[in-house]
């Protein structure tokens, strides 16, 4: 009896173990199935993420190709317009470029801010340019000081008043008395005292605020060794004035209607000077007492000879600067408002 019970218990234990084993196997199979499902889902997610990234890369590559083609087109266009400048800029770093010191005399008038704005917008395109603005005034004016601070151009702000005798009257023609002489001389003083041309090579250019400048002219003057020269448009009663250049590429005379026998019959906008040459002739200055049309000669004759001039702008056959002037404003309506006691808001700066 006891043996029979023992056999039954043994069989029962074996069945229980078998059932447990089968359940364990089933559970392992279920877990494996879940892992497989997780693997499949993860693989699908990774694949979708990969596809998204590839699509993004393709879009970026298309964008890069478009930009590259656009840059090639712009460079080709620039090369046609400025055949020298593109190669020049691509081969030289900013640090290697001689600084252009643009000297601008200015005086208070209704169009002053407009003139300075146009000029500063041009200068923003020129690498390594230092703008020396010299006011014809007893003190620096807030208008010019604020303007220069927000111009984005590296600048030096100076001021000196033109002697009363040499100041133009309200209705005097612009040619009657020399303008900007004392201001240009002060800028030369500053450059002689504050810059060492042996350590910091540079070029001086007298950039009046009423002229119009092609960017090419700044490339033309950048490597001036002595004094470089070029034509100026809309000046002296002619379409242009220019140095005349012979077969040896030397300046020998001047194309101008006004006294072509002058030593340097050239407009102030028509030449640039190597800074070292200026410092080597540190006592030389423009002569405010020079006769009409001789202001430029009064300085250049002290530092250079005609045979040493460097003709630029395709041997002085291209015009890259124009002697333009902004029309004097007409205040008829403003005068009426003033008489009525209701002028334009004086707090709005023009």
């Amino acid at each position: 009896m006891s043996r029979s019970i023992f056999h039954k218990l043994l069989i029962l234990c074996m069945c229980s173990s078998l059932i447990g084993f089968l359940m364990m196997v089933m559970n392992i199979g279920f877990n494996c199935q879940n892992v497989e499902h997780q693997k499949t889902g993860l693989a699908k997610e990774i694949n979708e993420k990969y596809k998204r990234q590839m699509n993004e890369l393709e879009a970026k590559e298309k964008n890069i190709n478009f930009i590259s083609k656009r840059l090639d087109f712009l460079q080709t266009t620039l090369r046609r317009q400025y055949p020298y400048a593109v190669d020049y800029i691509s081969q030289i770093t900013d640090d290697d470029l001689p600084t252009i010191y643009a000297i601008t005399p200015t005086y208070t008038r209704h169009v002053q801010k407009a003139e300075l704005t146009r000029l500063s917008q041009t200068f923003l395109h020129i690498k390594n340019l230092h703008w020396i603005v010299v006011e014809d005034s007893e003190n620096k004016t807030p208008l010019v000081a604020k303007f220069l601070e927000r111009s984005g151009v590296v600048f030096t702000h100076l001021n000196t008043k033109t002697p009363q005798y040499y100041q133009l009257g309200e209705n005097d023609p612009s040619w009657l008395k020399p303008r900007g002489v004392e201001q240009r001389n002060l800028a030369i003083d500053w450059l002689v005292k504050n810059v060492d041309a042996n350590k910091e090579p540079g070029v001086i250019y007298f950039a009046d605020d009423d002229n119009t400048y092609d960017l090419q002219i700044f490339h033309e003057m950048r490597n001036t060794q002595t004094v470089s020269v070029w034509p100026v448009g809309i000046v002296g009663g002619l379409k242009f004035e220019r140095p005349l250049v012979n077969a040896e590429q030397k300046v020998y005379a001047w194309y101008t209607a006004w006294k072509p026998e002058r030593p340097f019959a050239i407009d102030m906008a028509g030449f640039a000077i190597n800074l070292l040459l200026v410092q080597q002739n540190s006592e030389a200055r423009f002569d405010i007492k020079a006769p009409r049309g001789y202001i430029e000669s009064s300085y250049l004759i002290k530092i250079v000879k005609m045979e040493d001039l460097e003709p630029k702008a395709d041997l002085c056959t291209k015009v890259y600067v124009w002697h333009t002037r902004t029309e004097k404003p007409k205040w008829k309506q403003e005068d009426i408002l003033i008489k009525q006691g209701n002028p334009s808001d004086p707090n709005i700066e023009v």
Side-chain angles (χ1 to χ4, degrees), residues 67-245:
I67 292 173
S68 178
K69 289 179 181 178
R70 182 63 180 165
L71 286 173
D72 288 342
F73 170 76
L74 290 173
Q75 189 173 35
T76 301
T77 302
L78 282 171
R79 199 180 296 279
R80 289 196 196 103
Q81 295 179 348
Y82 308 104
Y84 310 107
V86 175
D87 291 335
Y88 182 76
I89 291 171
S90 64
Q91 293 171 8
I92 301 178
T93 64
D94 292 359
D95 293 337
D96 295 327
L97 289 174
T99 300
I100 294 175
Y101 293 95
I103 297 172
T104 302
T106 188
Y107 63 99
T108 299
R109 61 203 190 277
H110 292 297
V111 298
Q112 182 182 31
K113 188 176 180 181
E115 304 271 37
L116 291 174
T117 296
R118 183 179 63 238
L119 187 52
S120 69
Q121 301 294 309
T122 298
F123 287 165
L124 284 171
H125 295 279
I126 310 301
K127 295 182 178 182
N128 281 24
L129 183 138
H130 186 133
W131 194 12
I132 303 177
V133 178
V134 191
E135 291 194 71
D136 187 348
S137 61
E138 296 287 354
N139 301 292
K140 297 173 184 176
T141 63
L143 184 148
V144 174
K146 287 189 294 183
F147 173 83
L148 290 173
E149 287 291 344
R150 61 179 292 275
S151 69
V153 181
V154 176
F155 71 90
T156 293
H157 186 190
L158 305 172
N159 67 286
T160 185
K161 185 72 173 175
T162 297
Q164 183 67 36
Y165 176 78
Y166 294 101
Q167 293 178 23
L168 284 172
E170 180 68 24
N171 298 313
D172 288 343
S174 60
W175 50 260
L176 185 62
K177 294 179 180 179
R179 291 189 302 172
V181 176
E182 298 295 287
Q183 290 71 39
R184 295 184 186 99
N185 284 340
L186 181 62
I188 293 172
D189 291 343
W190 187 89
L191 285 166
V192 169
K193 294 174 183 176
N194 293 280
V195 182
D196 184 350
N198 290 298
K199 297 178 180 178
E200 301 174 66
V203 176
I204 294 177
Y205 183 49
F206 299 102
D208 289 354
D209 59 7
D210 57 355
N211 290 342
T212 302
Y213 305 89
D214 188 313
L215 299 182
Q216 181 69 10
I217 197 60
F218 298 97
H219 161 68
E220 298 280 339
M221 73 177 70
R222 182 80 72 173
N223 283 327
T224 298
Q225 301 302 306
T226 56
V227 175
S228 55
V229 293
W230 49 79
V232 177
I234 318 176
V235 65
L238 297 171
K239 288 174 31 178
F240 60 85
E241 292 181 339
R242 74 182 185 99
L244 297 175
V245 182

Side-chain angles (χ1 to χ4, degrees), residues 184 205-208 211 232 266-271 286 295-296:
R184 295 184 186 99
Y205 183 49
F206 299 102
D208 289 354
N211 290 342
V232 177
I266 191 170
D267 186 79
M268 195 68 71
F271 64 93
F286 291 100
I295 291 295
E296 294 83 357

